[in-house]
Amino acid sequence: MLINSNDFKKIKNSLPLGVGLLAVSKGHAQESIRKLSDYGQFDFGESRLQEAIPKKNNLNDLDQLRWHFVGTLQKNKVRGVIKEFDFIHSVDSLPLLERISRISKEEQKTPNIFLQVKFRDDPKKGGFLKHDLLESWPSIMSLKNINLIGLMTIPPIDLNSYQRKEVFCECRSLADHLGLKDCSMGMSNDWKESIDVGATWIRLGSLLFGER
């Protein structure tokens, strides 16, 4: 069930200055997106291009909305995602980033990019390993037509609260080391822990929309 206006405002008002709320709307109806926009929510996250495009088209009267791609980005979907989304939270390899850079030039776009980093072994998640990211950093910094704004991470599902917070700390520390302002981390079950250690974007799905 969609969160009510008062509970939504409580969450928004609890966020420190500089922390953005991304409503992860994947799997939810466009009517729920419209309702949340009535509450004052303008950033929405989708993970499948073919699901997002009809929603965007049916909500094109809401020109203040900003769209974030949060799913695994397949190379054959890069062009479509660059055309449709303002932010990409899930760039998990140098070859993918190079492809985004090339296609962004062709499309005359400059997407906002988060690099997904994997700080713990997790076969279900993609992402740069820390040492690989550091090794690739000179090549990453040479790429054009992207706006590299931060890192994104998702801790393994079996970690406890303390362990998740450790992962978030590592992500914030690495972002600071690389001179990146933003950290996209923390979801419906751990967003408070992520804010404690420096998240600048939290991604809330079920907490706002209810279960899919």
Side-chain angles (χ1 to χ4, degrees):
M1 181 181 296
L2 186 71
I3 193 170
N4 63 52
S5 177
N6 287 336
D7 288 341
F8 176 79
K9 288 177 182 177
K10 287 177 184 177
I11 293 174
K12 285 281 284 188
N13 291 338
S14 73
L15 301 182
L17 189 65
V19 176
L21 171 56
L22 175 58
V24 180
S25 49
K26 63 179 183 179
H28 296 286
Q30 66 199 37
E31 291 79 8
S32 295
I33 297 174
R34 187 176 293 277
K35 189 68 174 178
L36 276 184
S37 75
D38 290 341
Y39 297 169
Q41 176 63 28
F42 303 126
D43 289 278
F44 291 90
E46 294 284 332
S47 64
R48 295 173 69 243
L49 184 61
Q50 58 268 41
E51 178 187 340
I53 290 175
K55 290 181 183 178
K56 287 190 66 192
N57 290 341
N58 289 324
L59 296 167
N60 61 9
D61 57 304
L62 303 176
D63 55 9
Q64 72 272 46
L65 300 190
R66 298 194 299 177
W67 295 92
H68 300 239
F69 188 81
V70 297
T72 300
L73 180 52
Q74 299 171 333
K75 65 180 182 179
N76 64 327
K77 302 292 187 183
V78 167
R79 191 177 300 274
V81 167
I82 288 170
K83 287 180 177 181
E84 299 291 340
F85 289 86
D86 307 298
F87 295 78
I88 306 174
H89 287 242
S90 48
V91 179
D92 60 5
S93 71
L94 179 58
L96 179 60
L97 189 61
E98 290 170 338
R99 186 177 181 89
I100 291 170
S101 173
R102 175 177 61 80
I103 295 176
S104 292
K105 182 179 181 180
E106 294 171 2
E107 296 293 336
Q108 298 183 316
K109 294 270 195 173
T110 308
N112 298 295
I113 300 292
F114 292 88
L115 301 178
Q116 183 171 354
V117 185
K118 183 160 64 171
F119 292 96
R120 298 290 184 273
D121 183 47
D122 186 354
K124 295 183 179 180
K125 297 289 188 299
F128 286 88
L129 299 178
K130 180 180 177 180
H131 67 272
D132 289 337
L133 177 57
L134 293 172
E135 187 176 280
S136 301
W137 193 245
S139 298
I140 291 171
M141 292 300 292
S142 72
L143 295 175
K144 309 297 184 184
N145 301 101
I146 58 172
N147 183 26
L148 185 58
I149 61 174
L151 303 180
M152 185 274 271
T153 197
I154 305 172
I157 194 169
D158 57 351
L159 298 189
N160 62 35
S161 177
Y162 177 79
Q163 291 168 326
R164 288 196 299 269
K165 199 166 185 176
E166 281 188 326
V167 171
F168 296 146
C169 280
E170 291 179 43
C171 188
R172 181 70 263 175
S173 177
L174 181 57
D176 291 342
H177 175 72
L178 297 173
L180 299 174
K181 172 182 175 289
D182 285 307
C183 280
S184 171
M185 56 188 191
M187 297 188 287
S188 291
N189 64 327
D190 54 17
W191 62 279
K192 293 181 180 179
E193 292 101 313
S194 74
I195 287 174
D196 285 345
V197 295
T200 59
W201 281 97
I202 58 170
R203 308 182 304 273
L204 303 187
S206 59
L207 191 62
L208 302 182
F209 291 97
E211 297 297 335
R212 291 197 299 275

